[in-house]
Amino acid sequence: MTDTQSPEGVDREESGLKRTITGRLLFFYVLGDVLGSGIYVLIGAVAGEVGGAFWVAFLIGVSIATITGAAYAELVTKFPQAAGAALFVNKAFKNRILTFLVTVSMLSACFAASGSLATGFAAYFDTVWSLPPAILVSLGLIVLLTIVNYLGITESVLANLVMTIVEVTGLVVVLLIAVVHTAEGDSDLGTLTDFSTQGNEIFAIVAGVALAFFAMTGFENAANIAEEVVDPAKHFPRALVGGMVAAGVIYVLVAMSASLVVDAKELASSDAPLLDVVESGVLPISVSVLSIVFAIIAMTAITNTTLVSVVTQSRILYGMAREDVVPGVFAKTHERRRSPVAALLFAGAVVCALLLVGWALNETGAGIDVVDRLATVTVVFTLFIYSLVIVAAFKLRGQAETEENYHAPTALLLLGLLGNAVLLVYVVVDDPGSLLWVAGLLALGVVLFLLEYAFGSRTRADGVERGRPDAG
């Protein structure tokens, strides 16, 4: 009988995916995903909330996210299968409704994040070529990345590695500008402790952390490709936590650099804030040339994270179709490329629909900032998921234990649970309008669940109970 909880069992009997991702590739996968997901897009919004000391918000956000990452690392070494958080909650609580809720929340977070990033991509693209409408640029990016993912996971991860190197180069340029600016005596170091807020500084920091947290979301995407990692018990914890720590250090340094070069209010009002740093004229290079080069680097970084998000959406659908939570068609893979084709097409269509809804609302004069709104929706979903994953880590202790399992420090997990809960409450209270978008995405999930409930028996082998696809 197949052991569905062991890595060996998954590899030999259950998996329709190939283990081709090494520990080094996974490290860069995590690093590239996290780095591109906010520092190029939302750094201005964080500066607007906190002031010159907005690096503090990034530091706190990084810390909370890294603690949560340790819970993921512990669970992946026990259950190295696709579907990530949804799988962990399913194993811990064995409650189909809760598993469904987490599955849809994770999917929705990925959908919203992809939409936010694609919109940010279009803002940088406008610097290079302003002719195409922004909505067409955003839609084109999603279609292109869906095709790349169809070609295969190895191709996607290698593309991720190349783009990670490019985006780190862009951030190094920002750091260099700050060093030169400071060395010339033009920086005011007092800016780094300036909280330019209208009200309570603590609330301002919490607001900044809530936005900065979006920059660290994405690390959980790595859990959804655990089934494709070589020796996950050995490589996953080091690659995940190491990638997050490296990304966190870079984030804090870049935030401090931006604060020293450009005023926080100017950063807050910019659609491409790091481009303002590059265009400050500090380096002895043509500003126009440097602007175009940096815009290309920024687009590469955003593309990198969006690619990982597209991979994740399809892997969640694939994994949970095998757990009998969503329709079984999403578990089917291409015979040669082993890509979950139906899941990819569906996920791409949903993200494009989100972009079109945001565009249509703005065309009617709604004045919605699609980047900020979808980022907030992403944070609402992910904070809920992160809290449940930490609880699942506690509940599953003592189960599927081996000597190779990674164990996260209990005290840190408790601190992470508290941090996630506080941020979740704040985000919902601060922007209740985001709940309408949350409800819309959850409604889509309900439709998927009802379809599986009504028609799932047609694709289930005789004698196999609902929720036990492995038995077939």
Side-chain angles (χ1 to χ4, degrees), residues 265-351:
K265 292 181 180 179
E266 185 177 341
L267 289 173
S269 62
S270 175
D271 291 329
L274 288 186
L275 193 58
D276 287 359
V277 177
V278 173
E279 292 177 342
S280 60
V282 174
L283 296 181
I285 303 174
S286 169
V287 172
S288 59
V289 172
L290 195 57
S291 295
I292 292 176
V293 172
F294 189 82
I296 293 173
I297 291 174
M299 287 188 290
T300 301
I302 297 169
T303 299
N304 196 9
T305 301
T306 313
L307 171 62
V308 176
S309 184
V310 169
V311 171
T312 300
Q313 295 156 18
S314 61
R315 268 51 184 183
I316 293 173
L317 285 166
Y318 167 86
M320 295 319 295
R322 296 198 311 162
E323 293 290 329
D324 231 7
V325 176
V326 297
V329 66
F330 295 127
K332 294 182 179 180
T333 58
H334 189 273
E335 183 177 352
R336 183 165 59 90
R337 297 198 173 276
R338 309 299 288 272
S339 302
V341 180
L344 277 169
L345 291 174
F346 178 80
V350 173
V351 176

Side-chain angles (χ1 to χ4, degrees), residues 21 58 113 180 225 288 290 344 467:
I21 303 174
F58 277 101
V180 173
I225 60 168
S288 59
L290 195 57
L344 277 169

Side-chain angles (χ1 to χ4, degrees), residues 119-435:
T119 305
F121 176 91
Y124 280 100
F125 189 91
D126 183 69
T127 301
V128 179
W129 188 23
S130 59
L131 180 61
I135 182 63
L136 291 183
V137 174
S138 299
L139 293 172
L141 177 66
I142 298 302
V143 171
L144 175 63
L145 295 183
T146 300
I147 293 172
V148 170
N149 189 225
Y150 160 76
L151 295 176
I153 186 63
T154 303
E155 290 79 2
S156 297
V157 174
L158 288 175
N160 171 274
L161 173 59
V162 173
M163 287 188 285
T164 296
I165 294 172
V166 173
E167 68 189 60
V168 170
T169 301
L171 297 179
V172 169
V173 170
V174 174
L175 296 177
L176 178 61
I177 290 173
V179 169
V180 173
H181 194 63
T182 303
E184 293 176 346
D186 296 326
S187 297
D188 179 7
L189 296 179
T191 301
L192 298 177
T193 57
D194 175 39
F195 294 90
S196 302
T197 62
Q198 298 296 323
N200 188 288
E201 291 181 357
I202 299 298
F203 286 121
I205 293 175
V206 173
V209 172
L211 282 170
F213 204 80
F214 175 81
M216 289 301 292
T217 60
F219 71 86
E220 73 282 352
N221 293 343
N224 296 288
I225 60 168
E227 199 166 320
E228 296 157 276
V229 174
V230 177
D231 195 357
K234 175 183 177 182
H235 295 303
F236 202 93
R238 287 184 295 182
L240 177 62
V241 177
M244 293 181 69
V245 170
V249 171
I250 294 173
Y251 266 164
V252 172
L253 291 177
V254 170
M256 295 174 73
S257 297
S259 181
L260 290 171
V261 178
V262 179
D263 182 79
K265 292 181 180 179
E266 185 177 341
L267 289 173
S269 62
S270 175
D271 291 329
L274 288 186
L275 193 58
D276 287 359
V277 177
V278 173
E279 292 177 342
S280 60
V282 174
L283 296 181
I285 303 174
S286 169
V287 172
S288 59
V289 172
L290 195 57
S291 295
I292 292 176
V293 172
F294 189 82
I296 293 173
I297 291 174
M299 287 188 290
T300 301
I302 297 169
T303 299
N304 196 9
T305 301
T306 313
L307 171 62
V308 176
S309 184
V310 169
V311 171
T312 300
Q313 295 156 18
S314 61
R315 268 51 184 183
I316 293 173
L317 285 166
Y318 167 86
M320 295 319 295
R322 296 198 311 162
E323 293 290 329
D324 231 7
V325 176
V326 297
V329 66
F330 295 127
K332 294 182 179 180
T333 58
H334 189 273
E335 183 177 352
R336 183 165 59 90
R337 297 198 173 276
R338 309 299 288 272
S339 302
V341 180
L344 277 169
L345 291 174
F346 178 80
V350 173
V351 176
C352 288
L354 278 177
L355 290 169
L356 289 170
V357 168
W359 171 79
L361 288 174
N362 281 329
E363 286 295 301
T364 60
I368 295 176
D369 187 325
V370 178
V371 172
D372 284 1
R373 173 48 57 87
L374 291 180
T376 300
V377 172
T378 303
V379 171
V380 170
F381 280 119
T382 52
L383 286 171
F384 167 69
I385 294 164
Y386 293 169
S387 299
L388 274 180
V389 167
I390 294 176
V391 174
F394 284 126
K395 189 171 177 60
L396 288 169
R397 285 188 168 172
Q399 300 183 37
E401 299 280 359
T402 69
E403 293 182 358
E404 295 181 337
N405 289 152
Y406 168 76
H407 290 274
T410 299
L412 280 181
L413 292 187
L414 289 172
L415 182 61
L417 182 61
L418 176 62
N420 284 315
V422 169
L423 287 177
L424 178 58
V425 171
Y426 174 83
V427 171
V428 171
V429 171
D430 182 63
D431 186 10
S434 64
L435 293 181

Side-chain angles (χ1 to χ4, degrees), residues 37 89 130 284:
S37 63
V89 171
S130 59

